[in-house]
Amino acid sequence: MQRIWISDIKEYVDKDIEIWGWLYNKRSKGKIHFLQLRDGTGRLQGIAVNGECDESSFNTLTEIKMEASLRVSGKVTADERSPGGYELQVKKISLIQNPASDYPIGKKEHGIDFLLENRHLWLRSTRPGAILRLRSQAIMSLRSFFHNRGYVLIDTPILTGSIGESSSSLFSVPYFDLGEAYLAQTGQLYLEAACMAFGKVYNFGPTFRAEKSKTRRHLTEFWMLEAEVAYLDSEGNMQLQEDMICHLVEDILANSTAELKALDRDIEALKKVKPPFPRLEYGEAIEKLHELGSDIKWGSDLGGQDETILTKQYEKPLFILNYPKKVKAFYMKENPYNPETVLCSDLLAPEGYGEIIGGSQREDSRERLIARIHEQELPEEAYRWYLELREFGSVPHSGYGLGLERVVTWLSGIQHIREASPFPRTITRIYP
Ligand code: 4AD
Ligand code: MG
């Protein structure tokens, strides 16, 4: 008997095949068992009728528990009334394992803490399935965007000796006789070296922040896609982000239809993500926030709440540019028109989602960079190599980092970032 994947079912109408999978659910009515079978690629209704299906198989089905593993053979039929449009007329069952106890995740509503505690099993359910498939699609789409534009993928190190973003949120690990190493908060500094070698580069990997933030936007481990381009200014940097986000949203709309539907995502909202994206200078954003009732002061960073009320006003992603120098990282280039600010941009997702990308033009003057390193009390010696990039053919350059889980949260239309990661890490969770 030919074993097939449920995702290919439509090619096997009227044929005898076998599915290798699990029992997702079962309903029995007299001499008929209605099975919901899943094999990871989809779900299929199986119908086992006593007399048509062999007798020992029918009896097995009477005792079988949810999430039992089994091989089911039978004939595929097309039926418009069936949820997926196809059914399996079951002839034979080979039981691989019948669980000894009831599956912990049932039909009743479970609290989020219970589900997270059972994340290793929860992955099998509809909603995590849809979110993580969408995530997989988003990763492929982002990678192909850069690959097709001739960017070189540079895998930057996870163990680093220099602080990438801020000393307040570092994970450190003992590193042999060399003191402490840090888990990467960003690959940016290494990408800056690589962009001077390859012109345009990107990376995509895990990053770590020991932030004590317990919000719906923060994880302690998350994936970041970063791009870095030589001879690119802050304006060009925003253009690149706009192109990338439009490509991503188009790709998701075209390829993740079933997932968006399963998540009940408002597709019309995503269809509005078209260029050009609106832009606000930091000062204008502060004024707008005051109109919206916030009491934020010029000079403060935007908090999560500010981002929410601001982006509820917009249907497209919103750039906020040129923040005050004192709330941003040491490597951002001073704004020649207003030295209190830096040439940077944050991209905020609409519908209240908030920051998904942080980017900037980089400081290309060795002297100003050293001054910034001292201002922020960072150890100059650790940046010796980084400063040398400003000695040997320094050029204007820019780049940005996109938080994958933040983007997946937005695209999926879900409330909390923890569902956008297969096994989320937060300050209160390292299990499973
Ligand atoms: O704005 P951030 O801190 O920028 C950087 O790390 C730059 N070095 C990137 C660069 O220019 N190459 O982080 C970038 C993005 C944020 O916009 C956000 O989407 C995400 O990373 N991010 C987080 N996502 C989940 N949990 C956290 N704790 C995050 N911190 C940042
Ligand atoms: Mg940021």
Side-chain angles (χ1 to χ4, degrees):
M1 190 72 61
Q2 190 184 359
R3 179 265 177 122
I4 66 151
W5 292 100
I6 292 175
S7 54
D8 300 328
I9 195 84
K10 61 176 182 298
E11 292 158 34
Y12 295 91
V13 177
D14 293 332
K15 301 226 163 66
D16 279 330
I17 56 92
E18 190 163 74
I19 300 289
W20 299 0
W22 296 263
L23 181 72
Y24 189 71
N25 224 329
K26 186 187 77 174
R27 196 160 50 83
S28 301
K29 224 165 94 186
K31 290 163 92 175
I32 309 182
H33 296 301
F34 295 93
L35 313 174
Q36 265 208 62
L37 304 167
R38 58 168 202 90
D39 72 350
T41 70
R43 299 232 183 93
L44 178 66
Q45 167 148 289
I47 301 186
V49 182
N50 196 4
E52 288 172 32
C53 148
D54 88 59
E55 191 163 344
S56 86
S57 296
F58 191 86
N59 295 337
T60 303
L61 286 173
T62 310
E63 289 151 27
I64 199 171
K65 284 194 184 315
M66 252 180 93
E67 287 303 317
S69 43
L70 71 186
R71 287 162 37 172
V72 187
S73 54
K75 186 177 181 172
V76 179
T77 54
D79 187 333
E80 277 170 17
R81 291 163 305 169
S82 178
Y86 303 93
E87 283 178 349
L88 185 66
Q89 308 303 325
V90 176
K91 294 184 178 161
K92 192 169 173 341
I93 303 272
S94 316
L95 188 59
I96 313 293
Q97 193 220 20
N98 196 21
S101 48
D102 286 339
Y103 190 62
I105 301 179
K107 275 184 239 160
K108 70 171 190 325
E109 288 269 320
H110 294 288
I112 186 69
D113 288 332
F114 176 84
L115 290 171
L116 286 170
E117 198 68 10
N118 287 284
R119 183 64 166 171
H120 50 297
L121 303 175
W122 185 26
L123 292 180
R124 304 176 188 193
S125 302
T126 307
R127 182 179 158 99
I131 297 167
L132 295 177
R133 277 178 193 284
L134 188 147
R135 174 183 165 121
S136 168
Q137 179 65 45
I139 292 171
M140 291 312 291
S141 164
L142 289 166
R143 281 195 187 279
S144 64
F145 174 83
F146 288 102
H147 185 77
N148 293 340
R149 287 182 173 218
Y151 283 62
V152 177
L153 173 68
I154 299 292
D155 298 310
T156 54
I158 303 296
L159 288 167
T160 69
S162 35
I163 300 168
E165 279 297 310
S166 96
S167 44
S168 65
S169 60
L170 284 172
F171 280 110
S172 57
V173 284
Y175 201 76
F176 307 102
D177 294 335
L178 297 179
E180 284 195 316
Y182 309 116
L183 297 185
Q185 297 174 313
T186 169
Q188 177 195 323
L189 308 192
Y190 298 97
L191 280 191
E192 287 186 57
C195 89
M196 300 305 165
F198 300 95
K200 40 187 181 177
V201 294
Y202 74 105
N203 74 359
F204 208 157
T207 47
F208 305 86
R209 306 263 170 115
E211 272 168 315
K212 291 243 160 59
S213 320
K214 214 179 148 187
T215 77
R216 64 191 175 94
R217 298 191 170 112
H218 289 90
L219 295 169
T220 52
E221 175 179 323
F222 60 97
W223 278 59
M224 205 195 292
L225 174 134
E226 296 180 88
E228 196 71 30
V229 186
Y231 290 101
L232 189 73
D233 63 9
S234 188
E235 172 62 38
N237 198 28
M238 286 187 275
Q239 190 59 54
L240 180 62
Q241 293 169 50
E242 195 174 287
D243 291 353
M244 178 194 70
I245 290 291
C246 291
H247 164 86
L248 171 65
V249 172
E250 255 175 47
D251 237 35
I252 291 292
L253 284 170
N255 297 306
S256 300
T257 327
E259 288 74 25
L260 293 168
K261 187 156 180 267
L263 294 165
D264 219 1
R265 179 62 166 110
D266 175 5
I267 309 274
E268 294 311 312
L270 289 180
K271 284 189 184 156
K272 289 181 183 140
V273 179
K274 292 263 155 64
F277 295 171
R279 295 177 184 195
L280 288 179
E281 286 273 341
Y282 169 83
E284 295 173 311
I286 296 296
E287 276 171 33
K288 191 136 205 156
L289 278 166
H290 288 163
E291 286 165 24
L292 294 166
S294 165
D295 58 3
I296 186 171
K297 306 266 179 309
W298 198 101
S300 313
D301 202 0
L302 265 55
Q305 190 56 29
D306 298 313
E307 291 183 1
T308 303
I309 57 177
L310 196 56
T311 57
K312 281 205 166 135
Q313 311 291 311
Y314 291 85
E315 291 187 326
K316 295 182 186 188
L318 165 70
F319 281 113
I320 301 191
L321 31 153
N322 304 348
Y323 281 66
K325 198 193 265 178
K326 64 173 195 238
V327 298
K328 288 292 183 189
F330 71 96
Y331 52 72
M332 294 189 181
K333 188 176 173 62
E334 188 176 285
N335 181 357
Y337 302 102
N338 179 2
E340 287 289 286
T341 64
V342 282
L343 295 176
C344 72
S345 57
D346 276 2
L347 185 65
L348 313 189
E351 305 171 76
Y353 280 94
E355 180 186 342
I356 51 173
I357 299 180
S360 66
Q361 189 164 335
R362 319 306 192 186
E363 186 53 78
D364 47 15
S365 141
R366 187 170 190 277
E367 287 63 43
R368 277 198 299 267
L369 192 54
I370 291 179
R372 294 280 287 150
I373 286 172
H374 291 166
E375 262 168 50
Q376 301 211 357
E377 294 173 9
L378 295 165
E380 186 182 329
E381 176 53 22
Y383 297 98
R384 191 158 38 93
W385 66 271
Y386 186 65
L387 289 163
E388 275 178 24
L389 301 174
R390 277 71 182 168
E391 280 174 51
F392 299 102
S394 190
V395 296
H397 62 290
S398 301
Y400 59 86
L402 166 150
L404 177 67
E405 290 80 3
R406 296 243 183 124
V407 167
V408 171
T409 302
W410 164 51
L411 294 175
S412 304
I414 58 178
Q415 286 308 308
H416 203 295
I417 193 167
R418 63 195 160 202
E419 286 191 70
S421 167
F423 292 96
R425 300 288 175 244
T426 62
I427 55 171
T428 55
R429 179 166 296 285
I430 195 88
Y431 178 96

